[in-house]
Amino acid sequence: MANANNETPCCIGDRLEYGSVGRELKVGGVDMYLATPKTPTKKGIVVYIDVLGWQLPNTRYMVDMIANNGYVAILPDAFQGAEPWSPDRNIHVHRSAFLEWRKTKDPNKIHTVADAAVGYLQQECGVEQLGCVGFCWGGRAVHACLVDRKDFNCGVAFYGIAHKDDEKLGLLNAPGLFIFGENDPIIPLDQVETLKTELKKSCKVDYHVTVYDGMPHGFAHRKKAENDKDAAAIDGARLEMLKWLEKYM
């Protein structure tokens, strides 16, 4: 997700050829993808999409991974039926179109969709403990949930961050893990440093910020491991996510 200081949107990266193991359903008019663990649990995770939408195989792969590690995981269509950004549209050719498209996709307004997902997990799946995970645009949605809500035990934001001038940047209500790539042109390191400063100044709960050396935007869910360094970063970020969820749920 592009931010206010860098208007270049993220690209697809490597699209996984992945069929997924969960099922689609509709909750309160919102399409969702649900994956469940083999063993019953009262722990649930709401996963937030990137700009490429709720049907992207890469994101569903992450949902299934979370479920396979013992959580009921649900991925709502946060755009509520609106078209996601198409990976087939060249971002340089269609730059102005992307910026226009993005105006109606505010991650700070995630709460109606979050309410629907949370309600389903609690009422239909018996979930009592909640976490949230998001990628890119969804990382910003996680940040918004940790700041504005009190129903999540914790959250993990992959390469997503609220605007650096947001006065609530460091005011988390639940423990937050923020994961970035060192070579991310969408979120340059100065913004990551601003986040660290605000968290240190204002945050009253646990938090952690990790920057993976040499990694681009989207590396944890949209990059194929081309060498040992890639593999270590991708696996490391995913494991860090799982350990954070385990620690606080």
Side-chain angles (χ1 to χ4, degrees):
M1 177 65 190
N3 55 63
N5 297 318
N6 186 330
E7 300 296 342
T8 304
C10 58
C11 60
I12 177 62
D14 294 303
R15 187 186 185 100
L16 294 178
E17 295 300 326
Y18 180 70
S20 73
V21 297
R23 63 186 178 92
E24 296 182 358
L25 64 156
K26 195 176 286 286
V27 179
V30 180
D31 287 315
M32 303 199 186
Y33 173 77
L34 179 74
T36 56
K38 294 180 180 179
T39 304
T41 180
K42 295 186 180 299
K43 299 178 181 181
I45 306 295
V46 180
V47 182
Y48 296 124
I49 60 178
D50 64 17
V51 296
L52 301 175
W54 76 294
Q55 294 178 315
L56 184 71
N58 305 56
T59 309
R60 292 193 176 193
Y61 176 83
M62 299 300 293
V63 174
D64 291 348
M65 177 189 296
I66 291 169
N68 192 50
N69 279 273
Y71 305 90
V72 181
I74 195 165
L75 176 75
D77 174 13
F79 300 155
Q80 301 184 68
E83 286 294 319
W85 184 252
S86 171
D88 298 323
R89 301 184 72 188
N90 185 289
I91 59 177
H92 301 292
V93 175
H94 301 286
R95 173 186 169 87
S96 61
F98 175 82
L99 296 178
E100 189 64 28
W101 171 88
R102 196 187 63 175
K103 288 179 181 178
T104 61
K105 312 294 188 300
D106 184 356
N108 292 313
K109 296 180 180 179
I110 191 64
H111 302 299
T112 298
V113 169
D115 287 342
V118 166
Y120 183 86
L121 289 177
Q122 292 176 331
Q123 296 163 23
E124 302 298 329
C125 303
V127 164
E128 296 178 357
Q129 297 183 59
L130 292 162
C132 55
V133 172
F135 305 89
C136 182
W137 186 96
R140 291 191 63 182
V142 166
H143 200 168
C145 285
L146 293 179
V147 168
D148 295 332
R149 305 175 69 100
K150 295 185 178 180
D151 48 359
F152 288 108
N153 291 63
C154 63
V156 182
F158 286 88
Y159 22 89
I161 186 173
H163 190 278
K164 68 176 185 177
D165 295 326
D166 190 329
E167 61 182 13
K168 297 188 294 182
L169 193 63
L171 298 177
L172 307 184
N173 288 312
L177 171 64
F178 298 85
I179 294 174
F180 302 99
E182 180 188 24
N183 293 340
D184 186 345
I186 310 303
I187 304 177
L189 293 179
D190 67 304
Q191 290 194 34
V192 177
E193 290 303 315
T194 297
L195 173 64
K196 289 181 179 179
T197 298
E198 291 302 312
L199 288 169
K200 184 176 181 179
K201 180 175 67 175
S202 306
C203 193
K204 305 300 184 184
V205 297
D206 195 13
Y207 65 87
H208 187 74
V209 179
T210 302
V211 178
Y212 282 83
D213 292 346
M215 290 298 106
H217 187 80
F219 75 94
H221 80 301
R222 287 207 250 110
K223 179 176 175 54
K224 290 181 180 178
E226 299 176 357
N227 51 53
D228 290 345
K229 182 177 181 179
D230 287 349
I234 294 168
D235 292 344
R238 293 173 178 179
L239 182 59
E240 195 174 5
M241 170 191 71
L242 293 172
K243 286 183 175 180
W244 193 262
L245 296 177
E246 182 181 14
K247 181 177 181 180
Y248 291 104
M249 295 181 65

